[in-house]
Amino acid sequence: AAFGNALLQRLESLPSVKAAAVSTAPPIGEATAAVVSTSIHTATGPDYKPALVHAVTAGYAGTLGMNLRSGRFIDRTDSVQAMPVAVVNETLARTLFPDGRAIGRSFSRLGSPKPLTVIGIVADTRQAGPLRPAMPAFYIPFDQNDQPVRLLSIALSTAVAGGRLGPGIRRALAELDAEVPPFALKTGTELVDGTIAIQRFNMLVLGAFAVFALILALSGLYAVLAQAVQHARRDFGIRQALGATSGRIIRSVLSRAMAPAVVGVFAGGAAALGAAELIASQLFGVAPNDPLTFVSAALTVLLISILVVTQPAMKAARVDVSTLLRHE
């Protein structure tokens, strides 16, 4: 605790650091497991529940931008002499206190002699990354932690790019203990990216194949339409001779060309909707059958199709009637 608090003071004094906090686990990644219970025994035996535990300094919630649902978060008054307290996340609150009244209630942590009083409830965070469900977790004051600590995690809210603070962090650590090196200096974005690297690669591969398929489809559409325009030059010339305007010819060609594109979009959309569940495990923050995604994709394909067929349509409207009839 003394080491962590001394390190925190040095980190807070670094230039461009707006807020700093120290904890016994990073916000994403490895965390310490604990076993908790609201009572020692029930009618069916011990009522133990698994949970993740974070011993954190005051300001941890503000540094990471956590959302407080009710009560308060840990502050500097929660010292080692104060009453043992804890802040629970929403999942643990529902698990331990199904009646919805968690503030002021107590629970025990296996291995700790004193019960913890709940002083606040925070929104769930996804310790294992955005693709995994939130796990039950609670936060205790850093100074009140009575369990062995294997590692320390620091969190900094900065006004500059995180990588530029590396030398300052190393210097602060060296001033305390030169034999304690920092490792895994990462920004919040890098932490999240590390948990979705496989899914991102899969999506990039699928996206590349999708773009290639789109290029093939549009190339075929352009080639077929260009060939059709070439064979129908005499027809377009006769229409112009009979008074058809360029705009009318362009609209005629576009309507003829866009018919298969519209049919393809509806057929492809139906097939994609049927196969959407196959990629559900690779998605986060969007449903496999999200209407906005489907509509946006359909409109994009139709817009690109219009752009592709515009050139042959313009060519059809520029047929020289006199030259065409003279050659005929």
Tab-separated table of all heavy atoms in Angstrom, residues 146-187:
chain	number	residue	atom	x	y	z
A	146	ASP	N	-6.372	-6.602	2.352
A	146	ASP	CA	-5.606	-7.431	3.278
A	146	ASP	C	-5.127	-8.727	2.628
A	146	ASP	O	-4.738	-9.665	3.318
A	146	ASP	CB	-6.438	-7.755	4.521
A	146	ASP	CG	-7.747	-8.452	4.172
A	146	ASP	OD1	-7.978	-8.730	2.973
A	146	ASP	OD2	-8.544	-8.716	5.095
A	147	GLN	N	-5.170	-8.769	1.288
A	147	GLN	CA	-4.726	-9.955	0.572
A	147	GLN	C	-3.406	-9.675	-0.148
A	147	GLN	O	-3.088	-8.526	-0.467
A	147	GLN	CB	-5.787	-10.382	-0.456
A	147	GLN	CG	-7.130	-10.719	0.161
A	147	GLN	CD	-7.066	-11.929	1.064
A	147	GLN	OE1	-6.558	-12.979	0.691
A	147	GLN	NE2	-7.576	-11.788	2.295
A	148	PRO	N	-2.600	-10.705	-0.421
A	148	PRO	CA	-1.335	-10.504	-1.140
A	148	PRO	C	-1.571	-9.896	-2.520
A	148	PRO	O	-2.557	-10.207	-3.195
A	148	PRO	CB	-0.766	-11.918	-1.257
A	148	PRO	CG	-1.431	-12.696	-0.169
A	148	PRO	CD	-2.795	-12.105	-0.023
A	149	VAL	N	-0.675	-9.019	-2.926
A	149	VAL	CA	-0.776	-8.347	-4.228
A	149	VAL	C	0.358	-8.843	-5.122
A	149	VAL	O	1.535	-8.760	-4.754
A	149	VAL	CB	-0.685	-6.817	-4.065
A	149	VAL	CG1	-0.675	-6.139	-5.437
A	149	VAL	CG2	-1.864	-6.316	-3.243
A	150	ARG	N	-0.006	-9.371	-6.276
A	150	ARG	CA	0.997	-9.906	-7.197
A	150	ARG	C	1.480	-8.868	-8.198
A	150	ARG	O	2.597	-8.922	-8.679
A	150	ARG	CB	0.418	-11.116	-7.942
A	150	ARG	CG	1.448	-11.941	-8.681
A	150	ARG	CD	0.846	-13.240	-9.177
A	150	ARG	NE	-0.226	-12.986	-10.123
A	150	ARG	CZ	-0.035	-12.764	-11.415
A	150	ARG	NH1	1.185	-12.737	-11.920
A	150	ARG	NH2	-1.052	-12.565	-12.213
A	151	LEU	N	0.621	-7.934	-8.547
A	151	LEU	CA	1.006	-6.896	-9.491
A	151	LEU	C	0.207	-5.630	-9.211
A	151	LEU	O	-0.836	-5.666	-8.558
A	151	LEU	CB	0.805	-7.347	-10.945
A	151	LEU	CG	-0.609	-7.722	-11.419
A	151	LEU	CD1	-1.390	-6.494	-11.840
A	151	LEU	CD2	-0.542	-8.703	-12.564
A	152	LEU	N	0.711	-4.528	-9.717
A	152	LEU	CA	0.011	-3.253	-9.626
A	152	LEU	C	-0.279	-2.755	-11.035
A	152	LEU	O	0.534	-2.916	-11.951
A	152	LEU	CB	0.849	-2.204	-8.890
A	152	LEU	CG	0.999	-2.372	-7.378
A	152	LEU	CD1	1.844	-1.229	-6.814
A	152	LEU	CD2	-0.353	-2.410	-6.691
A	153	SER	N	-1.446	-2.162	-11.192
A	153	SER	CA	-1.828	-1.570	-12.469
A	153	SER	C	-2.068	-0.082	-12.251
A	153	SER	O	-2.735	0.309	-11.288
A	153	SER	CB	-3.100	-2.233	-13.008
A	153	SER	OG	-3.560	-1.571	-14.166
A	154	ILE	N	-1.490	0.729	-13.123
A	154	ILE	CA	-1.718	2.169	-13.023
A	154	ILE	C	-2.599	2.610	-14.180
A	154	ILE	O	-2.541	2.061	-15.281
A	154	ILE	CB	-0.392	2.966	-13.025
A	154	ILE	CG1	0.379	2.716	-14.327
A	154	ILE	CG2	0.473	2.582	-11.835
A	154	ILE	CD1	1.639	3.566	-14.438
A	155	ALA	N	-3.458	3.570	-13.923
A	155	ALA	CA	-4.338	4.132	-14.944
A	155	ALA	C	-4.136	5.640	-14.964
A	155	ALA	O	-4.167	6.288	-13.908
A	155	ALA	CB	-5.798	3.789	-14.647
A	156	LEU	N	-3.914	6.169	-16.147
A	156	LEU	CA	-3.672	7.602	-16.295
A	156	LEU	C	-4.639	8.189	-17.314
A	156	LEU	O	-4.842	7.626	-18.385
A	156	LEU	CB	-2.238	7.872	-16.763
A	156	LEU	CG	-1.101	7.343	-15.883
A	156	LEU	CD1	0.243	7.639	-16.539
A	156	LEU	CD2	-1.165	7.952	-14.497
A	157	SER	N	-5.229	9.315	-16.952
A	157	SER	CA	-6.007	10.109	-17.901
A	157	SER	C	-5.131	11.298	-18.274
A	157	SER	O	-4.749	12.096	-17.412
A	157	SER	CB	-7.310	10.585	-17.269
A	157	SER	OG	-8.004	11.447	-18.148
A	158	THR	N	-4.795	11.405	-19.554
A	158	THR	CA	-3.780	12.371	-19.966
A	158	THR	C	-4.297	13.324	-21.034
A	158	THR	O	-5.291	13.047	-21.704
A	158	THR	CB	-2.534	11.660	-20.520
A	158	THR	OG1	-2.860	11.089	-21.799
A	158	THR	CG2	-2.086	10.556	-19.588
A	159	ALA	N	-3.581	14.418	-21.175
A	159	ALA	CA	-3.900	15.402	-22.203
A	159	ALA	C	-3.065	15.200	-23.452
A	159	ALA	O	-3.192	15.953	-24.419
A	159	ALA	CB	-3.679	16.811	-21.656
A	160	VAL	N	-2.186	14.199	-23.455
A	160	VAL	CA	-1.326	13.900	-24.606
A	160	VAL	C	-1.431	12.419	-24.915
A	160	VAL	O	-2.055	11.653	-24.182
A	160	VAL	CB	0.143	14.288	-24.320
A	160	VAL	CG1	0.272	15.781	-24.070
A	160	VAL	CG2	0.689	13.500	-23.140
A	161	ALA	N	-0.802	12.004	-26.006
A	161	ALA	CA	-0.781	10.593	-26.361
A	161	ALA	C	-0.095	9.796	-25.254
A	161	ALA	O	0.941	10.205	-24.717
A	161	ALA	CB	-0.058	10.396	-27.688
A	162	GLY	N	-0.691	8.650	-24.927
A	162	GLY	CA	-0.183	7.873	-23.808
A	162	GLY	C	1.263	7.457	-23.942
A	162	GLY	O	2.000	7.392	-22.956
A	163	GLY	N	1.705	7.163	-25.174
A	163	GLY	CA	3.069	6.711	-25.379
A	163	GLY	C	4.119	7.727	-24.974
A	163	GLY	O	5.253	7.366	-24.635
A	164	ARG	N	3.761	9.004	-24.985
A	164	ARG	CA	4.732	10.044	-24.647
A	164	ARG	C	5.023	10.096	-23.155
A	164	ARG	O	5.977	10.749	-22.722
A	164	ARG	CB	4.215	11.397	-25.128
A	164	ARG	CG	4.103	11.494	-26.646
A	164	ARG	CD	3.391	12.749	-27.082
A	164	ARG	NE	4.052	13.947	-26.581
A	164	ARG	CZ	3.592	15.195	-26.797
A	164	ARG	NH1	2.464	15.350	-27.499
A	164	ARG	NH2	4.226	16.234	-26.312
A	165	LEU	N	4.210	9.432	-22.335
A	165	LEU	CA	4.418	9.449	-20.888
A	165	LEU	C	5.298	8.309	-20.406
A	165	LEU	O	5.599	8.222	-19.219
A	165	LEU	CB	3.076	9.384	-20.163
A	165	LEU	CG	2.210	10.643	-20.253
A	165	LEU	CD1	0.872	10.394	-19.587
A	165	LEU	CD2	2.896	11.821	-19.592
A	166	GLY	N	5.705	7.416	-21.320
A	166	GLY	CA	6.511	6.275	-20.928
A	166	GLY	C	7.754	6.632	-20.141
A	166	GLY	O	8.000	6.071	-19.063
A	167	PRO	N	8.586	7.563	-20.625
A	167	PRO	CA	9.795	7.926	-19.864
A	167	PRO	C	9.483	8.451	-18.465
A	167	PRO	O	10.186	8.123	-17.504
A	167	PRO	CB	10.445	9.006	-20.739
A	167	PRO	CG	9.947	8.725	-22.119
A	167	PRO	CD	8.557	8.217	-21.944
A	168	GLY	N	8.426	9.254	-18.334
A	168	GLY	CA	8.060	9.776	-17.023
A	168	GLY	C	7.617	8.682	-16.074
A	168	GLY	O	7.945	8.700	-14.876
A	169	ILE	N	6.878	7.687	-16.583
A	169	ILE	CA	6.432	6.575	-15.750
A	169	ILE	C	7.635	5.757	-15.284
A	169	ILE	O	7.743	5.379	-14.107
A	169	ILE	CB	5.430	5.700	-16.521
A	169	ILE	CG1	4.157	6.499	-16.836
A	169	ILE	CG2	5.090	4.441	-15.729
A	169	ILE	CD1	3.195	5.766	-17.738
A	170	ARG	N	8.548	5.484	-16.204
A	170	ARG	CA	9.740	4.698	-15.836
A	170	ARG	C	10.587	5.448	-14.812
A	170	ARG	O	11.147	4.845	-13.894
A	170	ARG	CB	10.557	4.404	-17.097
A	170	ARG	CG	9.862	3.446	-18.060
A	170	ARG	CD	10.757	3.117	-19.249
A	170	ARG	NE	10.137	2.131	-20.117
A	170	ARG	CZ	9.324	2.430	-21.122
A	170	ARG	NH1	9.060	3.706	-21.385
A	170	ARG	NH2	8.800	1.485	-21.857
A	171	ARG	N	10.687	6.748	-14.974
A	171	ARG	CA	11.475	7.538	-14.032
A	171	ARG	C	10.826	7.529	-12.642
A	171	ARG	O	11.514	7.405	-11.622
A	171	ARG	CB	11.620	8.965	-14.541
A	171	ARG	CG	12.546	9.835	-13.706
A	171	ARG	CD	12.895	11.136	-14.423
A	171	ARG	NE	11.709	11.871	-14.844
A	171	ARG	CZ	11.296	11.969	-16.114
A	171	ARG	NH1	11.973	11.357	-17.087
A	171	ARG	NH2	10.218	12.658	-16.414
A	172	ALA	N	9.483	7.644	-12.598
A	172	ALA	CA	8.793	7.620	-11.307
A	172	ALA	C	8.998	6.290	-10.602
A	172	ALA	O	9.187	6.237	-9.382
A	172	ALA	CB	7.305	7.889	-11.522
A	173	LEU	N	8.967	5.198	-11.360
A	173	LEU	CA	9.195	3.892	-10.763
A	173	LEU	C	10.637	3.737	-10.282
A	173	LEU	O	10.893	3.194	-9.207
A	173	LEU	CB	8.869	2.798	-11.780
A	173	LEU	CG	7.425	2.302	-11.816
A	173	LEU	CD1	7.210	1.376	-12.997
A	173	LEU	CD2	7.078	1.595	-10.522
A	174	ALA	N	11.574	4.210	-11.087
A	174	ALA	CA	12.985	4.079	-10.721
A	174	ALA	C	13.295	4.846	-9.446
A	174	ALA	O	14.151	4.426	-8.657
A	174	ALA	CB	13.862	4.557	-11.870
A	175	GLU	N	12.622	5.967	-9.239
A	175	GLU	CA	12.861	6.746	-8.017
A	175	GLU	C	12.411	5.978	-6.775
A	175	GLU	O	12.974	6.149	-5.693
A	175	GLU	CB	12.123	8.078	-8.111
A	175	GLU	CG	12.705	9.032	-9.151
A	175	GLU	CD	11.843	10.271	-9.325
A	175	GLU	OE1	10.763	10.324	-8.700
A	175	GLU	OE2	12.246	11.171	-10.088
A	176	LEU	N	11.384	5.128	-6.944
A	176	LEU	CA	10.901	4.341	-5.802
A	176	LEU	C	11.693	3.053	-5.632
A	176	LEU	O	12.093	2.696	-4.527
A	176	LEU	CB	9.416	4.011	-5.991
A	176	LEU	CG	8.436	5.163	-5.810
A	176	LEU	CD1	7.030	4.703	-6.148
A	176	LEU	CD2	8.480	5.685	-4.383
A	177	ASP	N	11.864	2.336	-6.728
A	177	ASP	CA	12.579	1.060	-6.674
A	177	ASP	C	13.067	0.742	-8.082
A	177	ASP	O	12.264	0.420	-8.972
A	177	ASP	CB	11.660	-0.046	-6.157
A	177	ASP	CG	12.418	-1.329	-5.848
A	177	ASP	OD1	13.523	-1.523	-6.403
A	177	ASP	OD2	11.904	-2.132	-5.049
A	178	ALA	N	14.365	0.811	-8.277
A	178	ALA	CA	14.943	0.593	-9.604
A	178	ALA	C	14.785	-0.844	-10.076
A	178	ALA	O	14.956	-1.135	-11.265
A	178	ALA	CB	16.425	0.975	-9.597
A	179	GLU	N	14.464	-1.761	-9.178
A	179	GLU	CA	14.323	-3.167	-9.540
A	179	GLU	C	12.882	-3.534	-9.904
A	179	GLU	O	12.585	-4.703	-10.123
A	179	GLU	CB	14.803	-4.048	-8.383
A	179	GLU	CG	16.285	-3.892	-8.084
A	179	GLU	CD	16.744	-4.830	-6.989
A	179	GLU	OE1	15.872	-5.558	-6.454
A	179	GLU	OE2	17.945	-4.845	-6.677
A	180	VAL	N	12.002	-2.543	-9.939
A	180	VAL	CA	10.609	-2.799	-10.320
A	180	VAL	C	10.374	-2.163	-11.690
A	180	VAL	O	10.118	-0.964	-11.781
A	180	VAL	CB	9.621	-2.220	-9.286
A	180	VAL	CG1	8.180	-2.501	-9.711
A	180	VAL	CG2	9.883	-2.824	-7.918
A	181	PRO	N	10.469	-2.929	-12.747
A	181	PRO	CA	10.310	-2.353	-14.086
A	181	PRO	C	8.851	-2.298	-14.512
A	181	PRO	O	8.053	-3.149	-14.126
A	181	PRO	CB	11.088	-3.325	-14.971
A	181	PRO	CG	10.892	-4.649	-14.287
A	181	PRO	CD	10.831	-4.351	-12.807
A	182	PRO	N	8.490	-1.309	-15.304
A	182	PRO	CA	7.126	-1.291	-15.862
A	182	PRO	C	7.036	-2.214	-17.075
A	182	PRO	O	8.023	-2.450	-17.765
A	182	PRO	CB	6.951	0.171	-16.276
A	182	PRO	CG	8.341	0.604	-16.643
A	182	PRO	CD	9.274	-0.139	-15.720
A	183	PHE	N	5.873	-2.749	-17.312
A	183	PHE	CA	5.656	-3.544	-18.513
A	183	PHE	C	4.232	-3.315	-19.002
A	183	PHE	O	3.372	-2.862	-18.255
A	183	PHE	CB	5.902	-5.034	-18.246
A	183	PHE	CG	4.959	-5.653	-17.265
A	183	PHE	CD1	3.817	-6.314	-17.699
A	183	PHE	CD2	5.205	-5.578	-15.908
A	183	PHE	CE1	2.939	-6.890	-16.797
A	183	PHE	CE2	4.333	-6.157	-14.993
A	183	PHE	CZ	3.195	-6.809	-15.435
A	184	ALA	N	4.025	-3.617	-20.276
A	184	ALA	CA	2.696	-3.500	-20.888
A	184	ALA	C	2.129	-2.093	-20.754
A	184	ALA	O	1.005	-1.894	-20.298
A	184	ALA	CB	1.731	-4.518	-20.291
A	185	LEU	N	2.937	-1.089	-21.148
A	185	LEU	CA	2.426	0.281	-21.189
A	185	LEU	C	1.545	0.412	-22.433
A	185	LEU	O	2.046	0.427	-23.559
A	185	LEU	CB	3.584	1.278	-21.232
A	185	LEU	CG	4.491	1.312	-19.996
A	185	LEU	CD1	5.617	2.312	-20.194
A	185	LEU	CD2	3.683	1.684	-18.760
A	186	LYS	N	0.256	0.517	-22.239
A	186	LYS	CA	-0.682	0.541	-23.365
A	186	LYS	C	-1.748	1.596	-23.144
A	186	LYS	O	-2.088	1.922	-22.010
A	186	LYS	CB	-1.362	-0.829	-23.528
A	186	LYS	CG	-0.420	-1.956	-23.893
A	186	LYS	CD	-1.188	-3.260	-24.072
A	186	LYS	CE	-0.258	-4.387	-24.463
A	186	LYS	NZ	-1.006	-5.664	-24.655
A	187	THR	N	-2.256	2.115	-24.250
A	187	THR	CA	-3.411	3.001	-24.173
A	187	THR	C	-4.667	2.166	-24.011
A	187	THR	O	-4.664	0.947	-24.221
A	187	THR	CB	-3.532	3.856	-25.441
A	187	THR	OG1	-3.795	2.982	-26.566
A	187	THR	CG2	-2.243	4.634	-25.712
